[in-house]
Amino acid sequence: MNVDWIARLPGPVRAAGYFTLQRLIGSRIATAWRDFQRWTRFTPAELHNVVDTRLGQTLESALRDSEHYRNLGLSRRSGESATDFLSRFPILMRGNLREQFTRIVVDWLRPEVTGPESRSRRRYDWLVVKTGGTTGTPTAVIHDAWFRDYGRATRLFSQQLCGFPLGTPYFRLWGSEQDLLQSAEKLDRRILRNLHGEVPMNAFRAKAAELEQHLATLRAHPEIRHLMTYVDAAASLATFLEDRRLEAPQLKTIMACAGTVTPEWRRLLEKVFRAEVLDKYGSRECADIACECSAHTGLHIYSPNVFVEVVDDNGSACPPGTTGRVLVTLLNNHSFPMIRYAIGDLAVAADEPVPCPCGLPFPRLASIQGRADDMLITESGTLLSSVFVRHFVGVSLNRELIREWQLEQSGPQEFVFRYVPQRREQLAENLKELGDSLLKALGQSCRVTFDEVTEIPPSATGKVRWIINSKAKSRNVF
């Protein structure tokens, strides 16, 4: 059945159709959306109070209904704030999710959930969500129906914050296997895609033929001015266009997702597409977590749905302006409590003495620094940021001789630098300079092996990983 005509309906009609369809399948996203919007109008004092209330309810219900949390033996002290109570909870690691999966599930759902392969028999209900294809062993969590709805509400708000609210057409350059458009795309997915006004582009591969097809798609829809994309896929496309002196259609905004938006990539995308770049942060297991607004003062944390901490190695809050690991507590996933979940990312805590000019009351992250398991371990045992390495290799030592590259730590002092050459002239000298400079950063006793390849393949989810630490799990790296 051809449903492409839906995309040609007026935006307000498609937006209304989206909420109608969701209601028919049993979703309460309209209620979640109204609740989220209500939070955006709170004063800072009002926000503090409602966050404390919702966080407190989350912690207390977890201790009451989940065997895993009951076994902690915690109770809230008289007069203790929810945030202080939260600080006494242990950090939830991915290993805990795998080992304690059925014990984390709340008591009333346990009879239905025997493991990660369980399925609900009801039409619109809880759902097992798996993640971790980029980083190793997949991790399973459960999203109940209310959290699924709230997750959709956060995505709608991210689009609104990035300039293309529901009903505004946009390109989607994506590559996750679970999200990737297939030839046998289901009818409900096609209807939803057209209600959104989404024009899909496959980011799973980034060879010349696919990149040329992306350009053709962009040119075929001059009326569309917004792009939702993997940031590395957009950077690959922008580099391809720039190298070949091909002019890209001008966009208005780019929502950059699923990777670290480095200053270099931001400048590249702004230059090639003449568009404003906005950083969106989220994950499959936590939905959208935070997003940058047009004031560019940091990423607004979605307080109605998540409570985010940036902590040091001891689990204590980092001072503003310092980098720490991100912990996420889900505030609306009552069937599978996730409290102080170590999502595996690093971020910089924001200093917020002045409210954001956009008017949102939500707290902010200054920046996302990348994944903890993408940090390299130097000879001295310190961590080297992937953002620094990408700037170091891609900018400071960039002689425009290498098209693509990837640096992997394969052992405590063993590194492999894979590269796709762009030009041969002076390539050997550039590689020697790279090797010498990397040893200065990593330690002189380290060994860097250079491996020329024809392409840097994406991971199973379609994302290109420029920095890989294969030994991160054997060391105490967050």
Side-chain angles (χ1 to χ4, degrees), residues 395-443:
V395 179
S396 299
L397 298 176
N398 181 11
R399 305 292 179 262
E400 297 186 356
L401 302 174
I402 295 173
R403 184 180 302 279
E404 299 177 12
W405 60 271
Q406 182 183 75
L407 181 61
E408 178 179 5
Q409 182 165 11
S410 55
Q413 296 179 315
E414 299 289 328
F415 298 82
V416 179
F417 186 89
R418 302 181 184 91
Y419 66 96
V420 179
Q422 181 164 304
R423 298 203 315 271
R424 293 288 176 183
E425 184 182 358
Q426 297 183 326
L427 178 60
E429 292 88 340
N430 191 199
L431 292 176
K432 184 179 186 306
E433 183 183 12
L434 274 172
D436 292 343
S437 300
L438 285 170
L439 289 180
K440 290 179 182 178
L442 299 168

Side-chain angles (χ1 to χ4, degrees), residues 23-98:
R23 185 175 67 253
L24 290 174
I25 65 174
S27 167
R28 293 191 296 151
I29 184 176
T31 302
W33 177 239
R34 286 193 297 269
D35 186 62
F36 194 107
Q37 294 281 51
R38 181 172 62 90
W39 281 54
T40 67
R41 297 187 290 270
F42 287 143
T43 66
E46 290 171 334
L47 180 68
H48 173 81
N49 291 334
V50 293
V51 166
D52 194 77
T53 298
R54 186 165 287 187
L55 177 60
Q57 292 170 343
T58 298
L59 302 180
E60 289 164 8
S61 65
L63 292 171
R64 182 185 64 243
D65 299 333
S66 168
E67 179 186 353
H68 170 76
Y69 289 101
R70 277 198 304 271
N71 289 340
L72 298 178
L74 294 173
S75 61
R76 190 169 180 178
R77 297 165 183 157
S78 177
E80 185 176 36
S81 70
T83 51
D84 288 342
F85 187 25
L86 176 70
S87 68
R88 296 197 284 118
F89 278 70
I91 293 171
L92 183 68
M93 306 299 292
R94 283 178 181 255
N96 301 135
L97 290 176
R98 290 191 289 269

Side-chain angles (χ1 to χ4, degrees), residues 48-263:
H48 173 81
N49 291 334
V50 293
V51 166
D52 194 77
T53 298
R54 186 165 287 187
L55 177 60
Q57 292 170 343
T58 298
L59 302 180
E60 289 164 8
S61 65
L63 292 171
R64 182 185 64 243
D65 299 333
S66 168
E67 179 186 353
H68 170 76
Y69 289 101
R70 277 198 304 271
N71 289 340
L72 298 178
L74 294 173
S75 61
R76 190 169 180 178
R77 297 165 183 157
S78 177
E80 185 176 36
S81 70
T83 51
D84 288 342
F85 187 25
L86 176 70
S87 68
R88 296 197 284 118
F89 278 70
I91 293 171
L92 183 68
M93 306 299 292
R94 283 178 181 255
N96 301 135
L97 290 176
R98 290 191 289 269
E99 296 162 9
Q100 299 289 321
F101 180 79
T102 56
R103 293 184 180 89
I104 294 174
V105 177
V106 293
D107 299 338
W108 53 266
L109 191 59
R110 286 274 292 274
E112 295 184 46
V113 180
T114 58
E117 302 306 319
S118 298
R119 295 288 183 271
S120 174
R121 294 183 295 272
R122 291 173 290 277
R123 181 181 182 187
Y124 190 85
D125 198 25
W126 58 269
L127 178 72
V128 174
V129 174
K130 295 183 179 180
T131 185
T134 338
T135 56
T137 306
T139 299
V141 302
I142 287 178
H143 289 173
D144 58 30
W146 180 240
F147 185 80
R148 292 172 65 187
D149 292 334
Y150 228 103
R152 289 191 176 97
T154 64
R155 287 191 285 274
L156 291 181
F157 190 75
S158 294
Q159 290 183 221
Q160 180 174 297
L161 212 56
C162 292
F164 52 107
L166 179 62
T168 305
Y170 63 95
F171 298 106
R172 187 173 188 258
L173 179 55
W174 216 252
S176 171
E177 284 188 352
Q178 292 177 318
D179 296 324
L180 192 61
L181 181 62
Q182 301 290 340
S183 57
E185 188 183 18
K186 293 182 178 179
L187 177 62
D188 59 348
R189 172 64 187 128
R190 284 188 285 131
I191 292 174
L192 280 172
R193 175 166 55 78
N194 281 285
L195 286 172
H196 275 288
E198 174 189 306
V199 176
M201 296 188 291
N202 183 351
F204 195 71
R205 304 291 288 179
K207 292 184 177 180
E210 286 84 359
L211 295 173
E212 288 171 356
Q213 181 58 51
H214 295 340
L215 177 59
T217 300
L218 293 172
R219 287 175 171 173
H221 299 276
E223 75 283 1
I224 299 180
R225 304 291 304 280
H226 307 279
L227 170 66
M228 178 192 297
T229 180
Y230 280 2
V231 62
D232 54 9
S236 295
L237 176 59
T239 300
F240 174 83
L241 298 176
E242 191 173 51
D243 287 348
R244 285 158 179 76
R245 294 183 173 84
L246 298 171
E247 184 174 357
Q250 182 175 359
L251 300 175
K252 188 173 182 180
T253 63
I254 296 174
M255 179 199 288
C257 316
T260 305
V261 181
T262 65

Side-chain angles (χ1 to χ4, degrees), residues 283-296:
S283 72
R284 292 192 65 84
E285 65 269 44
C286 298
D288 284 11
I289 296 170
C291 189
E292 189 176 12
C293 71
S294 57
H296 301 286

